[in-house]
Amino acid sequence: MLKPNDDSATLVLEWLNSFGVVGVHDHQWVTADVTVAQAEELLQTKYNVYFNPANSNTIIRTPSFSLPYIVTGHVDLVEPTTMFGMTPQASIAEADETARLEKRAPIPRNCIDAVTPNCIRALYNTVDYAPSATDRHSVCVVGFHGEYANMDDLKSFLQKFRPDAVETSYTTISVNGGGDDQSNPSAYANLGIQYAKAITHPTPLKFYSMDGNPPFIPDSATPVNTNEPLLEYLSFLLLEGAPQTLVIGYAANEQTIPKDYATKVCNLFAQLGSIGVSVIVASGDAGVGGGDCKTNDGSSLVLFQPMLPASCPFVTSVGSTDSFEPEVAASFSGGGFSRYFMQQDYQRAAVSAYLDGQGKMNAGLFMSSGRGYPDVAALASKYQVVERGQVVTESNTAASATVFASVVSLLNDAHLATGKPPLGLLNSLLYSKLASELNDVVMGSNPSCGTNGFTAGPGWDPVTGLDTPNFTKMMALV
């Protein structure tokens, strides 16, 4: 074997270091002492102990693994991984199902600069799933404040990024006087429609256009009323019939919404969950707080500012990540603790574990007994969106919510296809059965309010929640 060039060795060493692993470059090899857990994280795989009945020997191996695209052209061999030597084939048959679930499509190299549906489908392992129960469920995106999706832009987007879906579209439903001005598209609404369609095709897609003016208390982040009329919207859905997967990409400082109105809204979310609707919402784009972070009750205290509807315990709140392999928390990812709603039993152990590890960091700036959010996360940056016929780039937590909602729609489809009911409220399932199947994000933070905010770490944290989806692993358990 030829000695690798110094650039290749440096790149591999830096990749190892990003996981907290120290490598050593010794002529032909880069070596590192790692635990099995670290190896599994580095190689996106699962190791097992295999027994050879011919000689009673055991070895630790994996039937497959994955390297990030940044090092794939620089590495010829990784050991120990898939080489079983003379191990009989029958001895590794039990690993077939694990290998199938762990395998994912390679992430295109250009994803680092421009995120497309192919990037997302590879990253979250949805490429090989084709929805089959599409007559029994739908996915819905909502637009407030005169933000409209555009059908021509969707067609152009699909022609470029999902050509097998180009003959499909979406249905627009007006609520409370909501419009549908096709001459005035919104990048936000287009992003939601375009990525939901590209990921969930051929699942029926609806766009709700909503108008209204909810009650409002101004603060520095929202001096005029731009909040969303959620009570009217949810009441309409409960009366007229709701889709099985609902995504809301909007968020407002909790304190700008009167508590009695917020409580009514949160109770309606609970009702939707009880009838089989999975509500997925963005955690916000302001880290631990927007504006000057001062309270608007006359005391002007500087506190972290939680966001609604993310802070309602009956929705699944989605934070943001950046980069690929490893994913890192996006600095704008909204997260923290509600001052309106208390923690529910489903997340109490996960939140306590995080807070115990933080000590007194940020003490007094948040209500530790409040509902912690986000619950999960997904990639938020560099999305390619068609607006007015041109490709533009968008980065926001609404994108994360759309992607996670699309994964949930596929899970709903798999559930319904086996004769089971829609999933409905997800959080209890996420914090118990599915928590170990998500991709853990352990780097990054969400600074604001003159602080470094919260930090991401193993398990749940108020930056990326329980972390990002792996569809095939989640589907196997759901």
Side-chain angles (χ1 to χ4, degrees):
M1 183 182 293
L2 297 175
K3 179 182 177 182
N5 65 52
D6 290 340
D7 289 342
S8 292
T10 299
L11 190 63
V12 172
L13 290 170
E14 289 177 348
W15 168 62
L16 291 171
N17 189 59
S18 72
F19 285 84
V21 173
V22 178
V24 177
H25 180 205
D26 182 18
H27 301 294
Q28 298 173 347
W29 296 90
V30 170
T31 60
D33 292 326
V34 297
T35 64
V36 170
Q38 287 174 314
E40 290 176 338
E41 185 178 15
L42 284 163
L43 302 177
Q44 292 293 292
T45 190
K46 183 73 174 178
Y47 278 85
N48 295 285
V49 178
Y50 296 96
F51 174 72
N52 186 342
N55 55 22
S56 298
N57 289 337
T58 59
I59 58 173
I60 298 175
R61 292 293 187 270
T62 178
S64 64
F65 66 95
S66 174
L67 287 171
Y69 65 90
I70 58 172
V71 298
T72 49
H74 303 270
V75 176
D76 292 319
L77 183 67
V78 180
E79 285 296 337
T81 51
T82 59
M83 186 172 292
F84 286 84
M86 296 305 293
T87 302
Q89 187 65 32
S91 299
I92 62 171
E94 69 271 19
D96 287 349
E97 181 65 8
T98 297
R100 183 185 70 80
L101 294 178
E102 294 288 342
K103 183 180 178 181
R104 72 182 185 189
I107 298 172
R109 291 178 179 270
N110 61 353
C111 292
I112 193 169
D113 297 315
V115 172
T116 68
N118 283 344
C119 304
I120 297 300
R121 296 174 72 208
L123 181 62
Y124 298 133
N125 224 354
T126 72
V127 173
D128 295 329
Y129 185 80
S132 61
T134 56
D135 59 333
R136 280 164 276 175
H137 72 112
S138 60
V139 60
C140 167
V141 176
V142 61
F144 296 107
H145 314 307
E147 294 190 287
Y148 312 121
N150 183 274
M151 292 189 177
D152 288 340
D153 283 343
L154 174 62
K155 189 176 184 69
S156 297
F157 179 85
L158 295 175
Q159 284 174 333
K160 188 173 182 66
F161 299 118
R162 187 77 199 263
D164 62 314
V166 75
E167 297 303 323
T168 64
S169 191
Y170 61 94
T171 302
T172 298
I173 300 170
S174 174
V175 182
N176 200 32
D180 185 25
D181 186 353
Q182 290 293 291
S183 68
N184 186 29
S186 153
Y188 159 76
N190 272 351
L191 188 156
I193 285 293
Q194 290 170 16
Y195 278 83
K197 171 57 72 176
I199 299 169
T200 68
H201 171 70
T203 305
L205 177 61
K206 299 177 181 178
F207 179 74
Y208 285 80
S209 178
M210 178 76 197
D211 199 7
N213 292 292
F216 168 71
I217 307 169
D219 70 0
S220 65
T222 316
V224 297
N225 192 356
T226 57
N227 285 353
E228 291 72 45
L230 293 172
L231 188 65
E232 294 86 342
Y233 177 50
L234 302 181
S235 297
F236 174 87
L237 293 177
L238 285 165
L239 182 64
E240 300 295 330
Q244 288 67 40
T245 308
L246 174 66
V247 57
I248 300 174
Y250 297 83
N253 276 3
E254 194 180 70
Q255 67 175 1
T256 67
I257 302 167
K259 189 173 182 179
D260 60 342
Y261 183 90
T263 301
K264 291 176 182 177
V265 166
C266 196
N267 288 339
L268 292 187
F269 280 127
Q271 289 184 45
L272 285 170
S274 72
I275 62 171
V277 180
S278 298
V279 183
I280 316 299
V281 308
S283 69
D285 294 332
V288 293
D292 61 13
C293 297
K294 291 182 179 179
T295 55
N296 62 351
D297 59 0
S299 63
S300 295
L301 297 175
V302 174
L303 297 175
F304 290 170
Q305 295 297 332
M307 306 290 280
L308 197 79
S311 64
C312 172
F314 307 119
V315 302
T316 298
S317 170
V318 186
S320 294
T321 63
D322 194 5
S323 188
F324 288 88
E325 298 179 326
E327 287 183 89
V328 178
S331 61
F332 54 81
S333 182
F337 297 83
S338 176
R339 293 203 297 273
Y340 282 2
F341 305 108
M342 301 301 291
Q343 271 169 45
Q344 302 290 301
D345 288 343
Y346 64 74
Q347 71 165 179
R348 190 163 286 120
V351 172
S352 294
Y354 177 83
L355 292 176
D356 288 347
Q358 296 300 298
K360 295 184 178 180
M361 186 179 297
N362 297 318
L365 294 174
F366 65 96
M367 192 172 82
S368 61
S369 59
R371 183 276 207 265
Y373 75 97
D375 301 298
V376 289
L379 191 70
S381 299
K382 301 178 182 177
Y383 280 73
Q384 303 303 286
V385 180
V386 174
E387 182 184 6
R388 302 176 189 270
Q390 302 297 315
V391 176
V392 300
T393 300
E394 290 288 319
S395 299
N396 51 56
T397 311
S400 308
T402 298
V403 166
F404 198 91
S406 298
V407 172
V408 170
S409 178
L410 298 181
L411 291 173
N412 257 325
D413 184 90
H415 215 236
L416 291 163
T418 61
K420 297 176 182 177
L423 294 169
L425 180 60
L426 293 171
N427 290 358
S428 293
L429 182 64
L430 284 168
Y431 281 84
S432 56
K433 198 171 183 180
L434 297 183
S436 62
E437 305 308 317
L438 301 177
N439 306 315
D440 207 4
V441 178
V442 298
M443 294 185 289
S445 62
N446 55 355
S448 188
C449 302
T451 75
N452 292 326
F454 296 108
T455 56
W460 182 87
D461 56 72
V463 190
T464 60
L466 297 166
D467 305 307
T468 64
N470 183 322
F471 170 70
T472 54
K473 293 172 71 175
M474 296 168 74
M475 182 178 65
L477 291 180
V478 165

